[in-house]
Amino acid sequence: MDGLVPPPAPVAAAPRPRPAWYRATRVALSLAPLVAVHLALAAAPFVSPTWWTLGILFVLTRVTGLGISVGFHRYFAHHSFKVSRPVQFLLAVAGCTALQKGPLWWVAHHRLHHRHSDTPADPHSPVAHGFWYAHCGWLFAQDLMHPDHGPLRDLTKFPELVWLDRLWMVPGLLTAAACYALDGWAGVVLGYCGSTVLVFQVTFAVNSFGHTFGRQRFATGDGSRNNWALGVLALGDGWHNNHHKAPGSARHGFAWYEIDQSFLAIRLLRRVGLAWDVREPPAALLGKGGA
């Protein structure tokens, strides 16, 4: 056998491309929660709200909104503060209740947005792709359904986050079931679906309005703006030009009048010992608060 050249190893066949109907079905299932919660509001005239309904609406807009702003955005996407692994998982669950897909999907697109802000490679730029595409049309693009997780090794090393990213609908469905148990269909339609739609639309508005309307305090090379209405509604994420100037900062409101509810929540976590190494912008940027 000496001197004989071994036969070449068999070449693995390239995976067959999925048929168009399969890809379309995957897209439809992925977008079903987004569409369903909006359509569910058509049932609002047929349910009777109670004080429980208003309480659920108020609490969930905070839980899901902070899950996106504090959890998905400031913690997972930018690592602007540190928490323990159990708290990290709870932040991911809170973000998933907003039905904006899983933490890996959300972070992959947001980091791409910062890397290529307002260029054709930005997944949701109103400057490059138009206002309505940036607001919500980009969610229907098939090539954005499955982003590359290669650059997310800081997150994929946690198996519980990978698992949650695959089952991202579960926290939302369980929350909707809890709303039904507390307040019947009013709790589901007005409490859960109502709060989820509000958080959806505010998040969409940061992508569209936040790069179109408002003031630019800093020259960041893109269209990011500070918008006072979004600053309040998006729990501080509407101070978007500030954020693009210092993306790693846990604080987005640089001036005393720029209300940043998410940063207040992070400070509360730090005060009770659940967060530490909270990153803030350089003092020189805070000094430009009146500009």
Side-chain angles (χ1 to χ4, degrees):
M1 297 294 292
D2 292 343
L4 295 180
V5 178
V11 178
R16 298 176 61 182
R18 300 288 191 180
W21 66 265
Y22 177 86
R23 297 196 302 270
T25 302
R26 290 289 300 271
V27 172
L29 290 175
S30 179
L31 293 172
L34 163 64
V35 176
V37 292
H38 283 78
L39 292 179
L41 295 186
F46 305 102
V47 298
S48 300
T50 67
W51 288 109
W52 273 106
T53 311
L54 296 178
I56 291 171
L57 182 65
F58 177 81
V59 170
L60 284 186
T61 50
R62 269 64 199 161
V63 171
T64 59
L66 292 173
I68 293 296
S69 179
V70 173
F72 280 15
H73 189 195
R74 305 191 195 195
Y75 177 75
F76 287 110
H78 294 290
H79 294 307
S80 63
F81 60 98
K82 294 179 181 179
V83 297
S84 65
R85 191 165 173 176
V87 174
Q88 172 183 270
F89 182 71
L90 291 176
L91 288 174
V93 170
C96 286
T97 60
L99 293 181
Q100 294 183 20
K101 298 194 178 179
L104 303 184
W105 184 94
W106 204 101
V107 169
H109 288 300
H110 187 71
R111 290 181 180 176
L112 195 63
H113 163 66
H114 275 272
R115 194 176 304 123
H116 305 287
S117 185
D118 286 334
T119 71
D122 185 339
H124 45 66
S125 166
V127 176
H129 306 298
F131 181 88
W132 289 110
Y133 185 88
H135 190 74
C136 59
W138 69 281
L139 294 167
F140 295 83
Q142 290 194 24
D143 58 337
L144 298 178
M145 289 292 109
H146 304 287
D148 181 17
H149 288 175
L152 304 180
R153 292 184 181 88
D154 56 317
L155 303 181
T156 55
K157 65 182 180 181
F158 298 106
E160 66 272 21
L161 295 183
V162 177
W163 172 83
L164 187 61
D165 193 71
R166 293 172 182 164
L167 301 175
W168 58 271
M169 296 186 198
V170 173
L173 293 174
L174 292 177
T175 304
C179 291
Y180 180 80
L182 286 171
D183 195 37
W185 285 113
V188 175
V189 173
L190 298 175
Y192 181 71
C193 294
S195 65
T196 304
V197 167
L198 287 173
V199 174
F200 259 129
Q201 293 301 325
V202 169
T203 304
F204 295 166
V206 174
N207 296 335
S208 54
F209 285 88
H211 279 255
T212 309
F213 303 104
R215 293 184 177 182
Q216 281 196 310
R217 176 176 294 145
F218 304 104
T220 53
D222 54 34
S224 60
R225 313 271 174 163
N226 287 337
N227 186 297
W228 70 268
L230 282 179
V232 175
L233 295 174
L235 306 179
D237 277 5
W239 309 116
H240 203 52
N241 181 241
N242 293 350
H243 172 54
H244 273 252
K245 181 63 177 179
S249 171
R251 177 177 177 176
H252 292 188
F254 289 0
W256 65 267
Y257 52 83
E258 292 177 340
I259 300 171
D260 190 348
Q261 297 175 64
S262 293
F263 182 59
L264 293 177
I266 294 170
R267 289 178 62 185
L268 178 61
L269 290 175
R270 179 173 60 184
R271 182 176 293 274
V272 299
L274 295 178
W276 58 91
D277 291 349
V278 178
R279 298 163 63 188
E280 296 199 36
L285 297 186
L286 297 176
K288 293 181 178 293

